[in-house]
């Protein structure tokens, strides 16, 4: 595909000061199969190799991942008929779907834990600057456990990443509210 960019060079003409002139340049970047395969592999390695439970790291890295993912989706369009690249592209698409789902569930878990901590008051002292208590905490915990089970059922290839984010988050939530879920035994509950 063609992308247009506007360049503003300073041109000095005879007897005149520098004048900014606008002109467009059409750039046509064509990627070959091996470049796309290497970019897909690097992207997959970077996303899978990152700790998805680290909120700060995700806040700094995910905008770059999203930009690269968008570029990969665009640049890999000509290779959707290629068997090997088609499988890699499908894997990257599923990887990003799982990443966003896990991030959403883990963010919800973190919000519930923060609200539970605030409900105990400042430094757990009770009445001093006490926040509101979450009234349906058990329902929330069971809904999160169901989301965890659904993620594992829908994406078995990504079980380690789901365990790392959602499973560990449920283990932490279990310290705030008592509930049972399918993999609770992995977290000594």
């Amino acid at each position: 595909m063609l992308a247009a960019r506007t360049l503003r060079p300073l041109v000095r003409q005879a007897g005149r000061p520098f004048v900014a002139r606008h002109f467009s340049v059409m750039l046509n970047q064509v990627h070959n199969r091996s470049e796309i395969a290497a970019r897909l592999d690097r992207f997959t390695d970077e996303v899978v190799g990152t700790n998805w439970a680290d909120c700060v790291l995700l806040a700094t890295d995910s905008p770059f991942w999203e930009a690269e993912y968008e570029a990969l989706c665009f640049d890999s369009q000509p290779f959707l008929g290629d068997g090997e690249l088609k499988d890699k592209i499908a894997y990257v698409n599923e990887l990003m779907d799982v990443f966003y789902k896990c991030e959403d569930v883990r963010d919800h878990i973190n919000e519930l834990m923060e609200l539970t901590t605030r409900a105990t008051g400042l430094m757990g002292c009770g009445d001093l600057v006490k926040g509101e208590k979450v009234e349906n905490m058990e329902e929330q915990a069971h809904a999160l456990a169901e989301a965890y089970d659904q993620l594992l059922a829908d994406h078995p290839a990504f079980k380690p990443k789901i365990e790392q984010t959602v499973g560990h988050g449920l283990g932490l939530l279990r310290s705030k509210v008592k509930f049972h879920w399918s993999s609770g035994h992995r977290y000594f509950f």
Side-chain angles (χ1 to χ4, degrees), residues 111-127:
E111 288 290 328
L112 286 175
M113 289 190 302
E114 184 175 343
L115 289 173
T116 304
T117 302
R118 288 183 180 184
T120 62
L122 183 66
M123 303 293 287
C125 293
D127 292 332

Side-chain angles (χ1 to χ4, degrees), residues 9 12 14 24 35 41 50 57 61-62 70 79 96 111 119 135-136 146 153-154 160 167 182 187:
R12 180 164 179 119
S24 294
E35 289 175 353
D41 289 339
T50 301
L57 185 67
D61 286 354
S62 63
E70 185 178 332
F79 303 102
M96 293 307 287
E111 288 290 328
E135 300 201 7
N136 64 342
E146 288 175 12
D154 291 346
S182 61
Y187 302 97

Side-chain angles (χ1 to χ4, degrees), residues 148-166:
Y148 166 77
D149 291 335
Q150 189 65 43
L151 278 169
L152 288 176
D154 291 346
H155 308 284
F158 295 97
K159 183 178 180 181
K161 297 309 282 184
I162 295 168
E163 289 288 335
Q164 180 185 45
T165 54
V166 180

Side-chain angles (χ1 to χ4, degrees), residues 86-184:
K86 183 178 180 181
D87 293 340
K88 286 184 180 187
I89 293 165
Y91 183 81
V92 167
N93 287 333
E94 185 180 6
L95 170 68
M96 293 307 287
D97 287 344
V98 172
F99 168 70
Y100 288 127
K101 289 176 185 178
C102 287
E103 185 181 32
D104 289 344
V105 174
R106 183 59 188 258
D107 285 345
H108 190 79
I109 291 171
N110 289 344
E111 288 290 328
L112 286 175
M113 289 190 302
E114 184 175 343
L115 289 173
T116 304
T117 302
R118 288 183 180 184
T120 62
L122 183 66
M123 303 293 287
C125 293
D127 292 332
L128 190 60
V129 192
K130 191 173 183 180
E132 292 185 30
K133 186 175 180 178
V134 178
E135 300 201 7
N136 64 342
M137 183 62 92
E138 291 79 20
E139 293 173 24
Q140 293 284 329
H142 288 294
L144 290 167
E146 288 175 12
Y148 166 77
D149 291 335
Q150 189 65 43
L151 278 169
L152 288 176
D154 291 346
H155 308 284
F158 295 97
K159 183 178 180 181
K161 297 309 282 184
I162 295 168
E163 289 288 335
Q164 180 185 45
T165 54
V166 180
H168 186 257
L170 286 173
L172 293 173
L173 183 63
R174 177 70 168 78
S175 67
K176 303 285 184 181
V177 60
K178 305 304 178 221
F179 66 99
H180 296 287
W181 79 100
S182 61
S183 298

Side-chain angles (χ1 to χ4, degrees), residues 9 21-22 43-44 46 52-53 69 111 126 128 141 170 172 180:
R21 296 203 177 162
H22 300 284
F43 180 76
T44 302
E46 183 175 345
W52 291 1
Y69 176 59
E111 288 290 328
L128 190 60
L170 286 173
L172 293 173
H180 296 287

Side-chain angles (χ1 to χ4, degrees), residues 16 36 58-59 68 106 108 121-122:
R16 295 187 183 169
I36 295 296
L58 292 183
E68 180 63 17
R106 183 59 188 258
H108 190 79
L122 183 66

